[in-house]
Amino acid sequence: MDKISVVTEKKRSARFLQVLLVCLGANLVGIALSGPKSSIVLGAAVVLQLVILLASRFNGSKKYLINSFLWISTFEICALSALNNGVNDPIIIAYPLILMYAALFATPAMFLVLLVFMSLFNTALIFAMLHGLWPAPVLLLRWEAVIAINLLFAVAALSSWFIARDYRQLISRLTRQIAKLNRSRRKIAALHKQDALTGLLNRESATAHFKRLSKQYPALTIVFINLQKFKQINDAFGHSAGDRVLKRIAERLNTQLSGSEVACRFGGNEFVLILPPEPEQQERLRFSNLSTLLTEELLVDGYTLSLAASFGISRYPQHAQRFEQLCLQADAAMHKARREAKCTYLEYQPVWQSEHTAKLKFIRLLKKGLELKQFYLEYQPKYSLRDMKITSVEALVRWQSPELGLVMPSHFIAVAEESGLIEQLGLLVLELACRDSQQWRSQGHNIGVAVNISAQQLTSGRLPAAVQQILTDTGLPACYLELELTESMLVEHTALVDEQISQLIAMGLSFSIDDFGTGYSNLHYLSRFSMATLKIDQSFIRNLHTGSPNYKLVQGIIALAKILGLQTIAEGIETTDNLTLLKQLDCDTGQGYLLSRPLTKQHLITLFNSSATVTAELVTT
């Protein structure tokens, strides 16, 4: 039972007791004014009503008490009318009053039974009087009748007043409840249209607004905004601080809107503006001001925070008709602007669609190639620069696609990283390399293999377990596997990388830092990680001579490695002068086209079997 029903039932019970007391009082007054016979009837009614009153105090059945009261009152009126003036007696005014009580307090069935009984009784009484079966009274007008009529009027008036007041209160309460419900509905409707955090339009409402504006304007501009550095704020200060930042950004966006222009929180740290067209120069100025506004510092929880913003722009109907498609296009333009870093905003170009389609096709072929294992490895030997013997090999992946032909890593590695396939590809390369290395060991060639690892592999948390499983399956001892990492991976993911590398080192693997010296170099991670080898980037080896700017740099890297107890390997050795200088600088290992090009597994085994040593004279021939 709801709250209103409970209150109504309590009110009804209270009013029944009030009506009972009023009727009891009226009967007591009637006893004083009536003759002997009528007084007996009224006295009996008073006694029975007192019984009902006492029973109600002891939580008696409300239905039984109400029905008893109604029948007692009905019999009382029937008896009084029969003893006095019959249907001409003023007392019969009480019949409608009893029926009103029945309608309010009893069931519809009880109301109907009482109505039928009253009708039959009065009909029978009239019939009996007409045929002499009951003495027909002589109609006498007495002052007692006036008192009786007014007494009945008073009882009816009081009862009606009590009941009417209850229903007025009930209607007032219902009106307030309905008003409250309507306010709740309006609030829910507003929340349905708005983003709960920022108060901006949500995506659904923005779509509806776009449809309305597209009927008013011949063209519209969709601006997709991405806030950069937002994740760092969440990570450093918590999501509540991030929420306050989003609210402040929403407030700033609202200050830039006018007329029918709207802002939408598209999701997370992304916003969308829907703007009517304006002159190109004015639009550029606006985007510039908007960029400046969004990158202004914010004071949150006592900290000064700064963000960066990238914009992507699409046009209706030039680029698309539907809002969803326009947002996708603006999103693509935003990501391109973000990658290029030189642009605050870019406008979507339709040519990107064909590029996107071609890219999706390439990704499908790449995924298919991984499933069918269309990849194979070539190996470039690494030579000790002291005795020119092969110390290990670097695994280089190749893709032989039936549809595309031979595809080199420079064409598919970046796509694999972007599409999330790089981890699957990396594990395939690891498995092939370990299997080949174990095969060489079984043939008497204890040659280790180096495999490049992507950032996604290293930070996924699954690499140590995957490497352990591959080593177990292939039977290759961990000391024959070397993993190559880039400097950027160490700098950007130090906390995550630390745990992964520690586990892999504990397994017995060695590491090398690839492309060392290309811009991220610092001593911090060299002291933190137990790296075995520094790979000097080939950009420093090309055109290396004693007078070149890179000579001192290479010399310093080698000296630093010696101090830290690390090995050095120079990649990209292509001339005998390079080789001679690196030997003079005491570089440990080298690889490059001068020494050997990448070889297939079969050609590499042939090289192992023929000779494991090369000289400059052999290479040049």
Side-chain angles (χ1 to χ4, degrees), residues 310-355:
S310 295
F311 301 169
I313 299 165
S314 62
R315 311 282 187 182
Y316 164 84
Q318 177 182 346
H319 295 143
Q321 299 284 333
R322 295 186 303 109
F323 181 66
E324 295 81 359
Q325 186 63 29
L326 288 162
C327 287
L328 285 174
Q329 294 167 344
D331 187 20
M334 180 275 296
H335 278 94
K336 194 171 184 67
R338 185 172 180 175
R339 286 194 300 270
E340 293 187 1
K342 297 178 182 179
C343 305
T344 302
Y345 66 89
L346 279 179
E347 183 173 333
Y348 174 78
Q349 301 299 321
V351 69
W352 296 350
Q353 183 60 43
S354 58
E355 294 175 356

Side-chain angles (χ1 to χ4, degrees), residues 557-585:
I557 293 174
I558 294 173
L560 174 64
K562 298 295 183 186
I563 294 172
L564 296 176
L566 304 176
Q567 294 289 308
T568 53
I569 176 171
E571 54 183 357
I573 301 175
E574 297 182 355
T575 67
T576 55
D577 290 340
N578 292 159
L579 182 61
T580 301
L581 281 177
L582 289 168
K583 285 183 176 182
Q584 291 174 359
L585 292 173

